[in-house]
Amino acid sequence: MQQKAFGLTWTSLILSLIIFVIIKTSKSNQLGYKDQYLVSNTSRTDQDLVFDDFLGFGRTFDGVGGLSGGGATSKLLVNYPFQQQNEILDFLFKPNFGASLQILKVEIGGDVQSTDGTEASHMHNDWDENYERGYEWWIMTEAKKRNPNIKLYGLPWGFPGWIGQGTRSPFAKVNVTADYIVRWVNGAKTHYNISIDYIGIWNEKKYDITYIKVLREMLNQRGFQNVMIIAADKKWEIAVDIEQDPVLASSVHAIGCHYPGTYSTQEALNTNKQLWSSEDYSTLNDEVGGGCWARILNQNYVNGLIASTISWNLLASYYQGLPYFRDGLMTAINPWSGYYEVNTPIWMTAHTTQFTSIGWRYLKHDSGVGKLPQGGSYVGLVSPDGTDLTIVIETMTRNHSKCIRPYLPNYEVKPQQVTITLKGSFVNVTQLNVWYSKLGFNSSPDIVFEKQKPIQLINGHAQINLGLDEVVTLTTLTRGQKGYYPQPPQQKSFPLPYSDNFE
């Protein structure tokens, strides 16, 4: 009995020592967000997130974008002092600096009030052509200066009255409307040497199948075979027509839906077309707005196989009191002082855009894309040559990520520990670079897009702790930068008295 008791005592001591070492090691590795990543060689559990390209790929990533227009949402940017104007444009478009946007969508002005103002048409009448009106040409040019690879997308919100040929429909004579749009595409190339990549039909209005076919044919005839049609910038309803009409199907590159709530439809999926959220977000750009944007950037693909998401709007640069005030990725409403704000959606965007490019491929669901065990989501994307991997994880809680539309059902997110498991081409990766954000609520400060110490993988495994309202990017890429400029001038009241000759 004494020998047995003695053996139990030593066993207990050894076990106590092991437990003490484990606890001590755990505590030393859980020092808050600055050092929250735990490394472990573990076996597969339900908490494992497996990233394996040997099982194949999902859809091609088509990029993240912002929308200038619909309407006059960038109006005040034109009047900013040169220095601050360039800083704002850098935060939006400069690669590896801020939002690093991959798509710029603009309104094709139509002489109509289109939400926050009116944007001028390039053809007030059928005998009039002018490609110096408005500011979308300038914004596209500035975006291309900063990122020659950015994709450009034009969409009309309305049309000048003469297009209707005596009716209120732009499709009364589809050849007239197609010519009007193709002239705009040609004007971009002729006058600014910029190529339009995508063209839409009519914002959130009824589409016309014959018009789409004629537009495709006219683009081809005039040398714009590379300009792709996105249809129809409303919901997913055109999918049914695409399935039934082979000519329409060959005319449309991708189906563009507005505010899909992260879900597509079976009909849309059946077309095998690329699916886009061609207008989304439209939410006040505070912390909840940042949470909304972070959530849908991931979950549009996780839930709906939606491969591109575009924010309305690009930049909140219109007066307070107009509809949807501050529903942009950042805010610039004080041109007379030069004051602007870099809001949280800029950095939520950067978690994806600074570590991917258009043409990267999503991994398949359950081998690199999915929902986290305790709420939240993750996506894995692989470079076209198969050498680089980027993982974006978000844990946005419902009340801190509600978008303006549609209704967001109840769900729960809990703090959790998950194991990252790399397989396939990435099984021998030993280190992933880390970028981290945590949106601040209840008087907590925002922690946005901060570079952390790399995590080390042992035998392809690493454990990480995830809190609430966080975004984590893990990547093999070494690039990435949180762009910075000195604080802009202080905000001032509008200078009065003021006069303008409207020229």
Side-chain angles (χ1 to χ4, degrees), residues 42-52 298 363-364 366-380 389 391-395 416-423 432 457 460-466 472 474:
T42 63
S43 59
R44 178 78 190 267
T45 71
D46 289 340
Q47 303 294 106
D48 272 14
L49 309 183
V50 176
F51 298 87
D52 187 355
N298 260 25
L363 290 169
K364 285 190 171 181
D366 296 325
S367 60
V369 170
K371 293 289 187 67
L372 294 171
Q374 299 297 322
S377 66
Y378 63 96
V379 294
L389 170 69
I391 299 165
V392 185
I393 302 170
E394 61 80 24
T395 61
Q416 55 198 299
Q417 184 182 91
V418 297
T419 300
I420 303 296
T421 299
L422 303 188
K423 294 185 176 182
L432 290 171
L457 293 99
H461 301 286
Q463 287 183 334
I464 63 171
N465 290 330
L466 299 171
V472 179
L474 310 174

Side-chain angles (χ1 to χ4, degrees), residues 63-78:
V64 177
L67 202 170
S68 175
T73 53
S74 306
K75 178 67 184 75
L76 296 179
L77 177 62
V78 180

Side-chain angles (χ1 to χ4, degrees), residues 101 228 342:
L101 291 171
M228 301 290 102
V342 182

Side-chain angles (χ1 to χ4, degrees), residues 18 76 149 156 163 229 258 278 324 329 383 418 423 441 450:
I18 291 169
L76 296 179
N149 295 320
I163 289 285
I229 293 176
H258 288 195
S278 52
Y324 309 108
L329 298 177
S383 61
V418 297
K423 294 185 176 182
F441 296 95
E450 292 204 353

Side-chain angles (χ1 to χ4, degrees), residues 355 388 433 435 451 475-480:
F355 310 104
D388 283 300
N433 296 303
W435 291 80
K451 186 169 175 52
T475 182
T476 57
L477 294 172
T478 55
R479 69 190 188 207

Side-chain angles (χ1 to χ4, degrees), residues 142-169:
E142 292 296 321
K144 277 285 187 183
K145 272 186 198 174
R146 288 162 174 81
N147 179 8
N149 295 320
I150 196 169
K151 301 292 186 181
L152 301 177
Y153 175 178
L155 174 69
W157 263 248
F159 299 86
W162 66 269
I163 289 285
Q165 302 289 292
T167 75
R168 293 183 62 83
S169 171

Side-chain angles (χ1 to χ4, degrees), residues 334-345:
N334 216 241
W336 43 89
S337 71
Y339 176 79
Y340 63 86
E341 295 178 11
V342 182
N343 303 105
T344 57

